[in-house]
Amino acid sequence: MTFFKKSTVLATVAMSLSLAALGVEAKTLRVGVSNDALSMDPIASSDNPSIMTQLLIYDQLVHPSKDGTKLEPGLAESWKVSADGKEYRFTLRSNAKFSNGRTVTAADVVYSLKRAAGEKSQWGRFFRPITSYEIVDDRTVVMKLDQPFTPMLNNLALFSASILPAALMEEQGEKFFDKPVGAGPFVLEQWNRGAKQVFTRNSNYWKEGKPAIDGAELQIIGEDNSRVLKLKAGELDAIVGVPFNQVASLKSDNSLNVGIAPVFRAELVQLNTSKKPFDDERIRRALNYAVDKDALVKGILRGNGRVATSSLPVMAYHNDDLKPYPYDVAKAKSLLQEAGYSGGLKLTLLVPSGSVTHRQVASAIQANLREAGVAVELQTIEASSMFSTTKAGNYEMALSYTTSDTIDPDQLVGFTAVNPERANAFHTQWKDARVNELYELERRTLDGPDRGKMFQEIESRVHDGAPFIFLYNQAETFASRKNVEGFQVLPTSNYSLEDVTVK
Amino acid sequence: MISPVARERWIKFSRNLNLQLGLFMLGLLVFAIFVFPVLIAHDPLAVDFDSALIPPGADHWFGTDDLGRDVLARVAAAGLVDLQVVTVCVFVPFVIGSTIGLVSGYIGGVVDTLLMRLVDILWAFPFYVLVISIVGALGPSVGNMYLAFSMVVWISFARIVRGEVLLAKRQEYVQAAQVLGFSHIRIMARHVLPNVITPAIVFMMADVVLTILGVTSLGFLGLGIQPPTPEWGVMIAEGRNFILDGWWVSLFPGLAIVYVGITFTLLGDGLDDFLRPKG
């Protein structure tokens, strides 16, 4: 035993000496986040924490650029789309490797995308337009479509289109996700559910010299204040989600950098249009007029956001001509009266528990609507059961939000405006024939101004139909210590750690 | 003309500092809850972002919370809500529990065995676990909170009263009443009850402390009274997120709970001394 101890000490000393000699020191980035991931399976995830971890460990054919305006090469070094939009040819990088050292091949691509389009996938509709694959050689794959499908390329940049090692998956089945192997910049080394995720650098990552750090640790800290205090105390190097009321004071702290990321996100109140009185458009519009959105942005977000005009975030093809519903209690009252509800209205609002901002907003909406003669009862509900509750239609109003995982508006149009679709206009059951028609059309139209006009018309119809109370587009806040460089939240709400350096 | 009994009671009261202080603090509390809201012009529900998180000062004695609502007005309004809830949550179990204890102890036999096994079963569960699971299962609302507390707390009263009844049952005055042929109901109500209820009344005061903590804990967890109705536990939970730049939001409702706790502990101790016969 003594011998063992001694040898350990010797080894440690020797190692630290050699590292010191080289001037190298293991650099690990510790990041504080609010929620833990649920699953590492890209086709079975739709919660943001799972998506963000998957984007660290898996890689896709293409990526959104950091500013969220275009697509960049990922595992595919180049691609070509045929003129009729029915054939996509991808050429893989020769140095694209999984973390276990195996090369990423065309067979892996076909396997992963077929799986993503399969029966078990929650994201099938994003990939089913691909009707056949052709493996030309190990590095070249051709995908064929029956008809043009413009969102295709962006969908291939989704986390759900992550390329997994086919042979290993076949061999391990579902157990693969206990110790997943990907081609992303990091390897998930250890996962203590609810506590932390530990990553090491993927030394086989294709991008030269990246990641710049040796490892990363995501610590799950639900309490906003604890996260901030740990960052201040130097127990964390970076955090995501700075409470809005603390942004100003953290900005004046010389040891910290504070960032405000304008992410593709929209905060909404879902209105269940299959229930009375929400079947009446006048009621839905009245509710929009009755909420003072400017006060929410100023008072709760402390200016870190803007008032929303529709359920779509401010992203590509955003309709700039639309103006938010102004705060107008008189107008709201007269619309309510017109609809026959002058005698007052009693409604319930579902509020996800755990979110400080949502709790504040709910109280403010409640106070606002009281002015307009609408009594609102708040019902706090476990955040994780929110989606299934609204999906089942057991609600009147629900405070929620959407974020876009792609840089193309198609995803959220399909999610929040189209019915029937995956979520039937985000569980509001609102139906607009013209929106459905435009959605079909948009997907067959080549990307460009014409397609943009379709999105703008959709957005304006959603605005007028008001299946939601449109609240605001909230920015994501993050902070890091001064010795950390390059930590930022991307427009798709995730964070890339491969360019981060720790001094 | 003061009767000797009243005179003796007055002497007993004048020497009972706990009871005096407890009653004084209770009076102050009632004053604060009923008179304060009239004196201060602030609406406990009015949201005003322009006056969010103002520290305690001349305008807002206890400051304002994150939505610009006056903390003093809310603490006072919450006091009314909390004391109402606590009154129901203590009084209903007191009545139910004492009655069951009385009947169980007096009748004895199979009835007593069955009721006391039921008490044992409920006793086996930790108080909070049971209350939280009942409210959690039925959904958060004031009605369900009343139900949960009533279902859980009565066992303490039943146990206390039953124990006293078992002793009183063997006393000569009860046996005399039985020999005289009075009905069982009359004997229980007129002869036994007045002699066994004192410990239950004293326990009621201790139970107020337990219940105020229970009710505010449920509020803190989001299972109790729902916003925007002010409630001390909810206020502490809401203020927790602003503890770094608005300590007053959580502090004052917290102090209010401590104050109520001390008041009823003193009252319980004082009543115990006052009501229980010496020797």
Side-chain angles (χ1 to χ4, degrees), chain B residues 75-275:
Chain B
V75 168
L80 189 60
V81 173
D82 272 318
L83 287 193
Q84 270 172 1
V85 173
V86 166
T87 308
V88 176
C89 287
V90 171
F91 197 73
V92 172
F94 167 72
V95 173
I96 297 175
S98 302
T99 311
I100 291 177
L102 182 65
V103 172
S104 173
Y106 187 80
I107 295 176
V110 182
V111 176
D112 186 37
T113 311
L114 283 178
L115 284 171
M116 286 307 118
R117 289 304 78 76
L118 180 63
V119 168
D120 287 343
I121 291 169
L122 285 174
W123 199 273
F125 288 99
F127 170 73
Y128 279 110
V129 172
L130 209 52
V131 170
I132 289 173
S133 48
I134 293 173
V135 177
L138 298 176
S141 81
V142 179
N144 290 338
M145 205 153 66
Y146 289 156
L147 190 68
F149 275 94
S150 301
M151 280 169 73
V152 175
V153 180
W154 67 271
I155 53 172
S156 307
F157 293 102
R159 271 201 160 185
I160 290 167
V161 171
R162 175 182 170 270
E164 294 287 317
V165 172
L166 288 182
L167 288 176
K169 207 159 72 161
R170 296 202 190 84
Q171 301 285 317
E172 281 155 7
Y173 66 89
V174 176
Q175 287 170 354
Q178 282 168 342
V179 169
L180 283 171
F182 291 152
S183 75
H184 288 307
I185 291 182
R186 178 180 166 145
I187 296 172
M188 277 196 275
R190 301 280 300 273
H191 299 265
V192 180
L193 186 64
N195 290 296
V196 299
I197 203 68
T198 307
I201 292 175
V202 171
F203 179 75
M204 206 160 91
M205 295 300 124
D207 189 40
V208 168
V209 181
L210 187 70
T211 308
I212 193 97
L213 290 177
V215 169
T216 48
S217 301
L218 284 181
F220 184 85
L221 296 173
L223 289 170
I225 291 155
Q226 295 296 305
T229 312
E231 197 277 328
W232 291 333
V234 176
M235 289 179 72
I236 295 177
E238 290 179 353
R240 186 179 47 149
N241 304 302
F242 304 95
I243 202 88
L244 295 179
D245 46 1
W247 48 267
W248 53 88
V249 184
S250 287
L251 179 75
F252 292 109
L255 286 179
I257 296 174
V258 172
Y259 182 89
V260 171
I262 292 174
T263 305
F264 282 91
T265 307
L266 287 172
L267 277 178
D269 275 1
L271 274 180
D272 192 28
D273 288 344
F274 188 71
L275 293 175

Side-chain angles (χ1 to χ4, degrees), chain A residues 60-63 71-79 93 206-207:
Chain A
Q60 301 77 33
L61 293 176
V62 285
H63 297 154
L71 289 174
E72 286 175 349
L75 289 176
E77 64 180 13
S78 65
W79 62 88
R93 291 174 193 283
W206 59 264
K207 212 181 267 183

Side-chain angles (χ1 to χ4, degrees), chain A residues 223-225 228-229 232 245-246 295-296 298-300 302 356 359-360 363-364 366-367 370 376 378-380, chain B residues 43 45-47 49-50 52-53 66-67 69 140 222 226-229 237-245:
Chain A
E223 194 80 33
D224 288 341
N225 284 329
V228 171
L229 288 173
K232 279 184 170 169
N245 57 306
Q246 292 186 32
L296 297 181
K298 192 165 145 259
I300 294 174
R302 309 287 169 113
V356 182
R359 180 189 60 71
Q360 290 177 304
S363 296
Q366 192 179 37
R370 198 169 48 225
V376 178
L378 302 184
Q379 258 176 22
T380 311
Chain B
D43 176 357
L45 299 180
V47 171
F49 289 114
D50 291 333
L53 290 178
D66 53 304
L67 298 176
R69 299 174 296 195
Q226 295 296 305
T229 312
E238 290 179 353
R240 186 179 47 149
N241 304 302
F242 304 95
I243 202 88
L244 295 179
D245 46 1

Side-chain angles (χ1 to χ4, degrees), chain A residues 34-54:
Chain A
S34 59
N35 290 298
D36 199 0
L38 300 174
S39 163
M40 287 303 135
D41 187 347
I43 65 163
S45 307
S46 41
D47 60 303
N48 281 349
S50 300
I51 295 171
M52 286 159 201
T53 297
Q54 287 167 18

Side-chain angles (χ1 to χ4, degrees), chain A residues 143-171:
Chain A
M143 305 172 192
K144 290 209 170 86
L145 286 65
D146 282 349
Q147 49 177 326
F149 183 68
T150 316
M152 198 65 244
L153 212 48
N154 270 298
N155 289 354
L156 291 173
L158 277 169
F159 63 95
S160 42
S162 293
I163 306 305
L164 307 171
L168 203 58
M169 283 266 337
E170 286 286 345
E171 186 188 313

Side-chain angles (χ1 to χ4, degrees), chain A residues 352-486:
Chain A
S353 66
S355 158
V356 182
T357 308
H358 278 153
R359 180 189 60 71
Q360 290 177 304
V361 171
S363 296
I365 290 176
Q366 192 179 37
N368 274 162
L369 292 188
R370 198 169 48 225
E371 303 273 306
V374 180
V376 178
E377 187 194 326
L378 302 184
Q379 258 176 22
T380 311
I381 175 171
E382 183 57 41
S384 56
S385 61
M386 187 88 177
F387 192 81
S388 55
T389 308
T390 55
K391 186 175 183 180
N394 295 328
Y395 77 105
E396 292 189 339
M397 306 192 286
L399 185 55
S400 191
Y401 69 93
T402 62
T403 54
S404 180
D405 301 305
T406 83
I407 57 171
D408 192 67
D410 175 76
Q411 185 198 8
L412 285 190
V413 165
F415 187 67
T416 69
V418 181
N419 180 14
E421 238 295 356
R422 188 168 77 111
N424 290 354
F426 199 5
H427 307 155
T428 61
Q429 306 300 334
W430 177 72
K431 203 176 245 176
D432 184 282
R434 177 67 182 151
V435 167
N436 292 355
E437 190 186 325
L438 283 164
Y439 181 57
E440 284 307 313
L441 207 59
E442 157 274 299
R443 309 187 109 183
R444 278 184 272 123
T445 310
L446 280 183
D447 213 9
D450 286 345
R451 186 165 178 257
K453 283 208 183 76
M454 293 171 196
F455 281 123
Q456 282 158 7
E457 190 181 341
I458 291 174
E459 201 173 348
S460 122
R461 292 195 75 84
V462 174
H463 173 88
D464 292 340
F468 308 91
I469 302 177
F470 309 115
L471 297 177
Y472 49 78
N473 304 114
Q474 162 185 337
E476 181 65 278
T477 51
F478 57 97
S480 57
R481 296 193 63 81
K482 275 269 149 66
N483 59 340
V484 176
E485 256 170 44

